[in-house]
Amino acid sequence: MKRTVLITGSSRGIGRATAKKFAIEGYNVIINYYKSKDKAYSLLEEVLSFGANAIVVQGDVSDRKQVEEMFKKSYEKFGNIDVLVNNAGIADMTLFTDVTKEQWQRMFDVNVNGMFNCCQCVLPKMISEKSGRIINIASIWGLVGASCEVHYSATKGAIISFTKALAKELGPSNILVNAIAPGAVDTDMIGGVSEEIREVLKEETPLGVIAKPEEIADVVYLLSTEETKLITGQVINPSGGFVIV
Ligand code: NAP
């Protein structure tokens, strides 16, 4: 039977590239979007053209009811979810002293509570199957912190400790849980960054590059393969050496 992946926030950026990678590798693909409907459906067309089975499901990951509905539709269509990629995320740059309670709350609602909602919805079936992979997209800022991104860094740090703890709890059920902590990746998320800052980022990266979303997608896919079946509770850091811990 074909394996199935659900990727949250796959209308754009890293999630979109990840959906394409899994489709090329023969997976059924569940594409989730929040606001970018046209982009999600253009991805669906692309993925179908690779010969993959796929569906699009709209939903805000921070909303438990919408997430439950998304999983219901996904199980109705494919019967199983082998890999969950918690990718949906938001970021913004604000001085900590200017961060509003609403900004702080929304950052945690999407980046952390979204992952919590999706994991709780996927796990009953994964546990009964004694099989599954969960891959959470963190960030290097969750490892080392970023100035003017305290709220973002805090959510990414939470994703990392969540990943480690859940990996311990789910190991006996043969479910692997890992996080990926990219450095700068060329998506809309860093679209507001000036050319000057991009050059600084490159200079400070030993490999001298800003990652392409496809390069992160390759690492996500790797964590779903048989070859990585002993890797759990780890934070894989494809940042070109920007952060070495
Ligand atoms: P992006 O291009 O801004 O795309 C974000 C994706 O998340 C979009 O598909 C968006 O969907 C979705 N999304 C946002 N809020 C959502 C919600 N409430 N419910 C469901 N989906 C939602 O960002 P990206 O760069 O690909 O980032 C993807 C992940 O990688 C994020 O977790 C981010 O923190 C992490 N990351 C990015 C970088 C970087 O430099 N780009 C570095 C490290 C980590 P819609 O457009 O449909 O609303």
Side-chain angles (χ1 to χ4, degrees):
M1 206 168 93
K2 269 188 141 187
R3 285 163 61 81
T4 301
V5 62
L6 188 156
I7 304 149
T8 65
S10 38
S11 47
R12 297 184 285 117
I14 294 168
R16 187 182 182 93
T18 302
K20 286 194 216 175
K21 174 69 183 171
F22 275 87
I24 288 164
E25 298 294 342
Y27 271 71
N28 302 320
V29 179
I30 301 154
I31 298 164
N32 158 249
Y33 76 98
Y34 175 36
K35 290 183 176 162
S36 304
K37 184 175 180 185
D38 291 352
K39 291 199 166 120
Y41 279 91
S42 78
L43 174 64
L44 177 67
E45 270 180 38
E46 223 175 315
V47 158
L48 294 175
S49 77
F50 300 153
N53 291 323
I55 54 167
V56 171
V57 191
Q58 195 275 338
D60 177 349
V61 290
S62 73
D63 183 314
R64 181 59 172 246
K65 279 213 164 63
Q66 292 183 33
V67 171
E68 284 171 3
E69 192 53 34
M70 172 167 80
F71 278 86
K72 189 166 166 279
K73 284 180 186 157
S74 301
Y75 284 123
E76 276 166 12
K77 173 73 179 171
F78 294 119
N80 200 31
I81 294 169
D82 301 278
V83 181
L84 166 66
V85 183
N86 285 305
N87 165 79
I90 54 171
D92 81 66
M93 295 193 74
T94 309
L95 264 181
F96 178 67
T97 44
D98 291 339
V99 171
T100 63
K101 197 164 172 291
E102 290 70 30
Q103 260 177 303
W104 177 268
Q105 188 60 52
R106 185 66 186 157
M107 195 65 81
F108 273 82
D109 280 347
V110 177
N111 293 2
V112 181
N113 299 345
M115 171 186 66
F116 165 80
N117 287 333
C118 292
C119 287
Q120 283 210 327
C121 288
V122 87
L123 278 174
K125 186 95 194 310
M126 280 189 177
I127 290 169
S128 75
E129 299 278 327
K130 275 196 161 274
S131 171
R133 304 274 177 117
I134 296 176
I135 302 154
N136 300 320
I137 308 301
S139 161
I140 50 166
W141 302 136
L143 290 167
V144 298
S147 166
C148 296
E149 293 191 76
V150 172
H151 50 338
Y152 179 75
S153 302
T155 64
K156 294 300 179 177
I159 290 172
I160 289 170
S161 40
F162 174 101
T163 299
K164 292 178 180 178
L166 195 61
K168 288 185 179 173
E169 192 168 314
L170 293 175
S173 300
N174 192 36
I175 297 163
L176 311 185
V177 189
N178 289 291
I180 293 179
V185 187
D186 211 349
T187 69
D188 297 343
M189 193 169 271
I190 66 157
V193 168
S194 67
E195 203 45 52
E196 204 183 331
I197 302 277
R198 287 173 68 96
E199 282 313 309
V200 173
L201 284 170
K202 279 192 210 167
E203 270 166 31
E204 288 180 3
T205 302
L207 293 182
V209 291
I210 289 181
K212 298 185 185 79
E214 293 75 17
E215 291 165 335
I216 307 303
D218 287 344
V219 183
V220 178
Y221 178 72
L222 198 62
L223 286 175
S224 75
T225 59
E226 187 62 13
E227 286 73 15
T228 57
K229 68 179 178 213
L230 290 183
I231 297 180
T232 194
Q234 303 304 310
V235 184
I236 311 294
N237 161 1
S239 70
F242 187 84
V243 166
I244 298 178
V245 285

